Amino acid sequence: MPTHTVRAACPHDCPDTCAMLVTVRDGVAEAVRGDPDHPTTAGVLCAKVARYTERTYHRDRLLHPLRRVGPKGTGRFERVGWNEALDAIATRLGAIAARDPQAVLPYSYAGTMGLVQGESMAARFFHRLGASLLDRTICASAGASGLRLVLGGARGTDVEQFAHSRLIVIWGSNSITSNLHFWSFAQQAKRAGAKLWCIDPWRNDTAEKCHAHIQLRPGTDAALAYALMHELIRHDWVDHDYIARHTVGFAQLRARAAEWPLERAAALCGVAAAQIAELAHDYARVAPAAIRANYGLQRVHGGGNAMRAIACLPALTGSWRHASGGLLLSSSGHFGVDQAALERPDLLGARRPRSINMSALGDALLHPGDATFGPRVDSLVVYNSNPMAVAPDSSRVARGLAREDLFTVVLEQFQTDTADYADYVLPATTQLEHVDVHKAYGHRYWLANNPAIAPLGEARPNTWVFRELAARMGFDEPCFADSDATIAAQAIDARDPRNSGIDFARLRRDGWARLHDATAPFAEGGFPTPSGRCEFFSAGEAAAGRDPLPAVVLPYECAEADPERAASYPLAMISPPARNFLNSSFVNVDALRAREREPLLLLHPQDAAARGIADGAMVRCFNDRGSYPVRCALSDRTRAGLVVGFGVWWRKLSAGGVNVNELTHQRPADLGGGACFYDCLVEVEPAAA
Ligand SMILES: Nc1nc2c(c(=O)[nH]1)N[C@H]1C(S)=C(S)[C@@H](COP(=O)(O)OP(=O)(O)OC[C@H]3O[C@@H](n4cnc5c(=O)[nH]c(N)nc54)[C@H](O)[C@@H]3O)O[C@H]1N2
Ligand SMILES: Nc1nc2c(c(=O)[nH]1)N[C@H]1C(S)=C(S)[C@@H](COP(=O)(O)OP(=O)(O)OC[C@H]3O[C@@H](n4cnc5c(=O)[nH]c(N)nc54)[C@H](O)[C@@H]3O)O[C@H]1N2
Ligand code: SF4
Ligand SMILES: [Mo]
């Protein structure tokens, strides 16, 4: 039987959104590889997704619907038919919605980034039902909000242009782990003589390969950015023409920056003043200079304002004039997506359901309901997410999910920690088995995903499930009959000139297409802000009674903000991803888990010595929220006072049946309600023998 090749897209939550080629023989996907012609993928997939067939044909794939027979959390289920499962779910949701549809809470994130298998049919269903809205804050909302205040939206430097930068500042990103295809452009620049700076609390794999590394305390980036601004302004290394024509609020920003001389910022950040001075000098004197900021820097109380402060830098120096200057956090705002067509918020009619912050799921599930909160959550419908593993403050999430009176439905490819708590588990297709269309947040290409193989077992796409539920609930609006290909076509807003010549039929044939937008987005200003300028000073924020300028907001959990807590739990903890996992995805792929071996905590030798802890020992990492048994590695790649606990392990594949989120908290960041995973104090002690 000869093989054929199917054009697909990597579905995972990663800025790179790679173009994939799937080799299929006799209905079986034999291999996936990167499309060599796609300019950012360049024929390379990361180690995780190169094994996508292993994930798809995994022995543990869920292949038929399941109904719970044991206590919640124990993972005991029996097989049921689709009709039986869907009838029961529709009946139960209908009964809850008859009391108050807001008692139903959808819970989803980016298990797939596909616009079809993400929030299309699902959103239509929940809008029509009148369910609670979910505020999707768990990853990026603080930084995205900060960026929006200054630049107006998620736009920035074209990733391909970093190849020609002369200075690259990698800020809060472990690019080699989490943004590999950006890293290849940075390497091209490095080979051509560019200088690379990294700003990160630990010496991650990327920092190892940069020329200079500012190893700051987590959550202090805004102070660092202000000290840089102070230096730029003090030396008059700013572009007065760009500032005059394309920004607002320079005088106010200058006054605020004057509060952050090098020494003050250096003391707060825990770094040498001379290093900040050196970066300011490089940033001013080397052009084009570009910043690659990523979401690692905004998982703290002050994350939104940190991004806001950083976003002021390229306008001060006029670095936006160069295609290879500027700043990239996310490119998603370059895409013209017809969100309303996908999600159909009009199906709400006059209803305005409450919105629940997904990063405080534990609190939401444990809330008894009152006039402020609204009704108690009686049903949780989870798809594209594994909240039991990834949401903060796990012990409260577990208590919430264990409620006998909570009706939980989980659409999943695998029996995850979350699925263990479900009343019904519904088997979902993988990217090789369904249709989708993708934008990206790290490049500027639309991609199509053609199905390569038939669904395995009785697995079904998310869209199919919500279509079936809609039919059973009597939702007869025509949009519930749309096919997946129809939805994919609707996603590409035909009225948006950036989509000219691009439609789903073309994408299906060619695999991908570059959107049309200026390579240097703000060379001539044109910021999508209310003023049309880069807003150092936000009149909107001032009118709302908030700080009109970027603020320096300390972490909730640090010695300055909470000395009492710091006395009991003196170590700061960050929990960035392990390289071979993608959030909690891939933890169950044997070959990848074998590379990571077991949950690991980096501890500085000084902190270890003070606690009598030897390299490789099992330790107990704990605070007042929980306790996490973990293997520790002593390393000077972290700073004294900082531990690095790699995530996000499945609880049931970890030593104590818990993961690092046992220790994190649910408080929101300063902007956008973002999660604060890296704003966390802990103590570490040798594990009891
Ligand atoms: N292999 C792999 N790739 C991934 C993921 C994965 O889990 N695994 N996750 C994907 C997802 S969902 C996302 S959102 C992105 C995340 O990727 P990134 O946006 O790069 O974010 P993180 O990996 O969370 O953190 C990046 C770096 O920020 C550092 N950091 C932590 N706190 C601070 C701080 O206060 N200031 C500064 N300056 N740096 C700080 C961390 O030490 C880490 O080295 O990657 C995507 N890619
Ligand atoms: N401590 C700590 N916690 C973190 C982070 C951290 O750095 N530290 N990172 C945070 C970040 S940045 C993010 S984005 C979140 C991510 O959290 P999630 O978005 O929940 O990501 P995953 O853990 O990858 O879980 C996605 C699930 O979706 C399933 N899935 C994939 N495709 C489909 C599909 O087509 N249909 C259905 N029904 N299911 C599908 C996968 O099998 C997987 O179990 O985690 C956050 N949690
Ligand atoms: S680098 Fe990112 S987009 Fe590319 S294959 Fe890996 S996870 Fe997917
Ligand atoms: Mo994320």
Side-chain angles (χ1 to χ4, degrees), residues 71 86 92 144 148 242 258 298 320 362 369 389 433 447 458 474 566 685:
L86 292 167
R92 189 71 182 268
R148 193 179 315 116
Y242 192 90
Q298 49 90 69
W320 286 119
E433 300 151 67
L447 297 93
E458 294 179 8
E685 63 180 26

Side-chain angles (χ1 to χ4, degrees), residues 264-580:
R264 182 181 178 204
L268 181 66
C269 301
V271 302
Q275 233 194 347
I276 307 179
E278 188 190 340
L279 174 55
H281 182 269
D282 281 358
Y283 188 66
R285 292 311 175 87
V286 183
I291 300 173
R292 181 42 162 131
N294 221 325
Y295 294 108
L297 71 91
Q298 49 90 69
R299 310 195 199 289
V300 290
H301 187 189
N305 273 285
M307 194 57 239
R308 204 174 163 192
I310 294 165
C312 295
L313 287 163
L316 276 182
T317 59
S319 146
W320 286 119
R321 293 179 189 275
H322 308 275
S324 300
L327 162 79
L328 177 63
L329 174 65
S330 164
S331 62
S332 69
H334 289 282
F335 290 82
V337 176
D338 193 343
Q339 216 71 43
L342 284 172
E343 301 185 12
R344 298 297 304 272
D346 58 293
L347 295 170
L348 282 169
R351 300 169 297 178
R352 289 292 169 266
R354 64 164 168 204
S355 188
I356 288 187
N357 186 334
M358 72 184 302
S359 300
L361 177 65
D363 284 352
L365 293 180
L366 292 173
H367 201 295
D370 62 21
T372 327
F373 180 76
R376 186 184 64 178
V377 176
D378 287 330
S379 177
L380 187 71
V381 182
V382 181
Y383 52 101
N384 302 340
S385 186
N386 183 11
M388 186 60 260
V390 304
D393 203 351
S394 311
S395 66
R396 287 184 62 77
V397 177
R399 270 177 55 205
L401 288 175
R403 273 176 45 202
E404 271 304 325
D405 55 0
L406 180 73
F407 180 64
T408 303
V409 180
V410 176
L411 286 65
E412 250 301 348
Q413 297 160 344
F414 293 101
Q415 189 67 31
T416 58
D417 290 326
T418 307
D420 282 349
Y421 285 88
D423 292 285
Y424 283 91
V425 180
L426 304 178
T429 43
T430 70
Q431 188 79 340
L432 300 189
E433 300 151 67
H434 57 226
V435 172
D436 223 320
V437 64
H438 288 254
K439 61 177 203 169
Y441 63 101
H443 64 62
R444 296 189 182 183
Y445 297 85
W446 282 97
L447 297 93
N449 184 71
N450 293 296
I453 57 173
L456 298 191
E458 294 179 8
R460 292 292 176 267
N462 297 338
T463 43
W464 183 88
V465 172
F466 289 108
R467 231 179 253 122
E468 290 289 317
L469 287 174
R472 281 170 174 75
M473 311 222 19
F475 300 167
D476 53 10
E477 288 79 0
C479 70
F480 289 107
D482 287 346
S483 71
D484 286 7
T486 303
I487 298 170
Q490 291 163 351
I492 307 164
D493 190 343
R495 297 156 303 186
D496 193 313
R498 295 172 300 181
N499 292 333
S500 107
I502 303 174
D503 60 32
F504 189 55
R506 174 181 161 197
L507 291 180
R508 288 196 91 158
R509 187 191 67 214
D510 300 345
W512 44 269
R514 187 176 166 87
L515 59 78
H516 309 284
D517 207 356
T519 311
F522 306 127
E524 301 294 334
F527 293 88
T529 54
S531 64
R533 290 163 171 246
C534 174
E535 298 198 345
F536 299 141
F537 181 97
S538 163
E541 289 296 285
R546 292 185 294 262
D547 197 332
L549 292 163
V552 176
V553 178
L554 291 175
Y556 286 113
E557 303 199 347
C558 66
E560 294 88 339
D562 192 347
E564 209 175 308
R565 174 173 288 275
S568 310
Y569 310 111
L571 301 171
M573 184 187 80
I574 57 174
S575 48
R579 186 168 174 175
N580 291 290

Side-chain angles (χ1 to χ4, degrees), residues 13-15 48 139 171-174 177-178 199-202 204 216 218-219 221 294-297 299-300 441 574 576-579 581-583 678:
D13 188 352
C14 169
K48 307 174 292 295
C139 170
W171 201 322
S173 168
N174 187 357
T177 286
S178 60
I199 302 176
D200 201 294
W202 74 290
N204 63 28
L216 81 182
D221 300 83
N294 221 325
Y295 294 108
L297 71 91
R299 310 195 199 289
V300 290
Y441 63 101
I574 57 174
R579 186 168 174 175
F581 302 151
L582 205 137
N583 301 318
Y678 304 167

Side-chain angles (χ1 to χ4, degrees), residues 8-233:
C10 173
H12 287 290
D13 188 352
C14 169
D16 299 13
T17 311
C18 290
M20 302 200 300
L21 300 175
V22 189
T23 313
V24 183
R25 188 195 302 272
D26 203 8
V28 175
E30 291 192 328
V32 298
R33 64 196 157 95
D35 183 346
D37 298 327
H38 182 253
T40 62
T41 306
V44 178
L45 302 177
C46 65
K48 307 174 292 295
V49 174
R51 298 185 171 277
Y52 201 75
T53 52
E54 240 171 90
R55 191 172 185 278
T56 294
Y57 293 112
H58 195 292
R59 60 179 183 280
D60 297 335
R61 267 295 296 282
L62 292 168
L63 297 176
H64 40 74
L66 298 169
R67 177 169 56 209
R68 181 170 64 89
V69 292
K72 291 200 173 190
T74 59
R76 288 180 40 222
F77 291 88
E78 66 181 6
R79 178 174 179 172
V80 290
W82 268 110
N83 276 328
E84 198 183 344
L86 292 167
D87 289 347
I89 294 166
T91 304
R92 189 71 182 268
L93 291 182
I96 294 169
R99 295 196 298 274
D100 187 339
Q102 295 181 96
V104 176
L105 178 64
Y107 197 96
S108 67
Y109 202 64
T112 169
M113 299 284 290
L115 296 172
V116 177
Q117 303 308 332
E119 310 312 322
S120 68
M121 200 54 85
R124 294 174 187 184
F125 175 80
F126 290 112
H127 283 146
R128 174 68 177 76
L129 186 67
S132 284
L133 304 174
L134 185 73
D135 197 5
R136 292 183 172 80
T137 58
I138 204 157
C139 170
S141 61
S145 304
L147 191 77
R148 193 179 315 116
L149 285 177
V150 181
L151 303 184
R155 303 192 200 171
T157 308
D158 183 341
V159 69
E160 294 162 64
Q161 296 298 324
F162 279 87
H164 314 295
S165 303
R166 301 294 299 162
L167 180 84
I168 299 178
V169 184
I170 298 177
W171 201 322
S173 168
N174 187 357
S175 314
I176 293 178
T177 286
S178 60
N179 190 190
L180 189 62
H181 296 80
F182 154 75
W183 178 248
S184 36
F185 294 113
Q187 266 182 310
Q188 281 179 43
K190 189 180 171 191
R191 281 195 294 270
K195 183 168 179 185
L196 270 53
W197 281 79
C198 182
I199 302 176
D200 201 294
W202 74 290
R203 204 169 70 245
N204 63 28
D205 292 350
T206 311
E208 293 267 15
K209 296 200 161 52
C210 290
H211 299 99
H213 176 202
I214 297 188
Q215 197 166 351
L216 81 182
R217 287 171 68 201
T220 61
D221 300 83
L224 176 63
Y226 264 126
L228 293 171
M229 292 191 246
H230 179 79
E231 283 295 284
L232 296 174
I233 295 167

Side-chain angles (χ1 to χ4, degrees), residues 249-270:
F250 177 62
Q252 292 96 325
L253 185 74
R254 181 175 52 200
R256 185 70 68 86
E259 297 172 16
W260 290 97
L262 287 178
E263 292 70 25
R264 182 181 178 204
L268 181 66
C269 301

Side-chain angles (χ1 to χ4, degrees), residues 642-656:
L642 177 76
V643 297
V644 184
F646 297 99
V648 180
W649 281 77
W650 284 23
R651 286 153 60 92
K652 57 181 162 185
L653 296 176
S654 308

